[in-house]
Every structure is written in structure tokens, then in C-alpha cells.
Amino acid sequence: MGVTLAYDSWGEGPHTLLALHGFTGSGATFEHLRPLLGRSVRVVAVDLPGHGRTPLPEKAGRDGFLETVDAVVQLARELGGRVDLLGYSQGARVALGAAVRAPDCFGRLIMESGSPGLHRRQERSERREADAKLVDFIRAKGVDAFVERWEALPLFDGLRRLPEPEQAALRERRKACTAQGLAGALETLGLGVQPDYWPALHRQRLPTLLLTGDQDEKFTTLARRMAAELPVVWRRAFAGVTHAPHLEAPEEYVREVLSFLQTPWYEAPQFEHAILAREATHS
């Protein structure tokens, strides 16, 4: 039967934005954006498998990743199709998979601190080994110990500059996860089991916005590489921000997202003709 994604919906407006959170998050990850987004966009904030109210996929490894991608596509169809898609980190990788799988279901794609996958087999093997060790740690030590270790990563330096109440709320959301859910999510949604989507980028016709923090060198470099492959792409690196722009610079983040979503000429009839002409010019 596949996995069914739990979600909450809020906001109003002409655009439906299907939002996919990162590892240790849930649909509540985007709740702080409600006052900024809610009057312009209908947000459908999903709990990805192993997080919140959504169970783990029935299948393991790569098959579990693809099962999750299919669940996102199915939800988009239930929402009427041609929805816009936003993903953060783990969610950005799933979002890209869904856009590649069924581009007809989506209007535009926003990837925040995301990756198309690992290109070399050895890299994927090494990442699976690293994730397996993390899975063992979670199952042996529990969620609280894991969250302490996770929050200490240099990747999240910017989050430690947030006001203490915001840090505490984020920590509580992370601790609300279960050890089984987080371990299973690493095993089914981890970078090591994700398909390599690099070869598919040049065929990706959805207008795409790539968002990163300029202090997150790894993912900003990835965004530059992706931008060189994608036919229709915009990119923004937020100054002084690390891995989570939606938390570290929410006002700027929302301005960028709304500007991208509300630009009407993306839907112009000439859009596909322009793509074909561009390809003909370079063939």
C-alpha cells in the first residue's frame, strides 16, 4: 500500500506549497513562518517517514526512499497537482526525487540546503557506513543523547546564535522524535541510499530556486554546481547564515520564496518554447 504522509495545512492564497522538513524535524518545522507566509500561500507541511505522525516506509534502503518519493507525488495529486514544492535538507533531497519522478505534478521547486545525491559508488558506501554507526548510537544511547550530539555539529553553528527560547523550542521538537523513527529515517532517507539525481538535473524543467547560507560552504558549493546543470534556476546564499536559512533569517527567506512563487511570467505560454529554442541554439 505504501506510506501515507501525515500533514497540517494552513494559510491561504493562489499557491499551494508542499513543504518537506529536514532530519529530526516535522511539519511543525515551518510553523514560525505562518505569520509571514500564511496570507500569501497555502502551506501543506508534511511529516516525513519516521518523524511526527508518519510511519516508516514498508521497504528498506533505496526502495524506502523511492516509496517516500511516491508518497509525495501521490499527495500532490490528491491536492490537485501542479503544487509548488519546498524541501529543506533531507526534505530537499526527497523533493528533488519527486520532481524528477513526476514533474507534471509540480509547478516550481525550492531546495534549501539540498543535494542531488552522491555520484560515486564508494561515496555512497562510505555514507551508508557512517549512517549505520549513527543508527547504532541512536538505538544504544537514545534520542536525548543523539540530539545533544547533533546540535553540536558545525553545520548548525548559526542556530546557536538564535534567541534561547527559539533554541529551546527547536530542541524540544527534536527530542519529540523517537529512536526508532530517527534510526529508520537514516536507513531509508539517508544520503547513502538516495538515488544519484545529478544526471537528471539537465532534464529538470521546473523553475528551481536554490537557497543556502553563505557560511555553509559545502551546500553553497553544491548549489553552484546544481545551478550549472539546471536549465531554469535561481540561487540565493544568505549572508551570515549556515545550514538553516528558514530558521536563521526567516524574513529574508520568506521574501525570497514569495518573490519566486509570485513572479507571473514563469507560467507564460512562451516558457516551453524558450526552453526548446535554448536547446536548439546549443545543439
Side-chain angles (χ1 to χ4, degrees), residues 10-68:
W10 44 265
E12 56 188 25
H15 298 277
T16 295
L17 183 63
L18 190 55
L20 310 181
H21 61 82
F23 183 60
T24 75
S26 69
T29 293
F30 303 102
E31 185 69 23
H32 69 294
L33 300 179
R34 185 187 290 218
L36 301 171
L37 276 176
R39 295 183 179 180
S40 304
V41 176
R42 179 194 176 202
V43 175
V44 177
V46 167
D47 291 343
L48 287 172
H51 301 78
R53 297 157 295 167
T54 299
L56 291 166
E58 296 176 357
K59 300 173 183 176
R62 177 189 172 103
D63 288 341
F65 188 96
L66 295 176
E67 185 179 331
T68 302

Side-chain angles (χ1 to χ4, degrees), residues 15 70 112 198 229 266:
H15 298 277
D70 286 342
E112 176 189 356
W198 282 105
E229 299 290 332
Y266 294 160

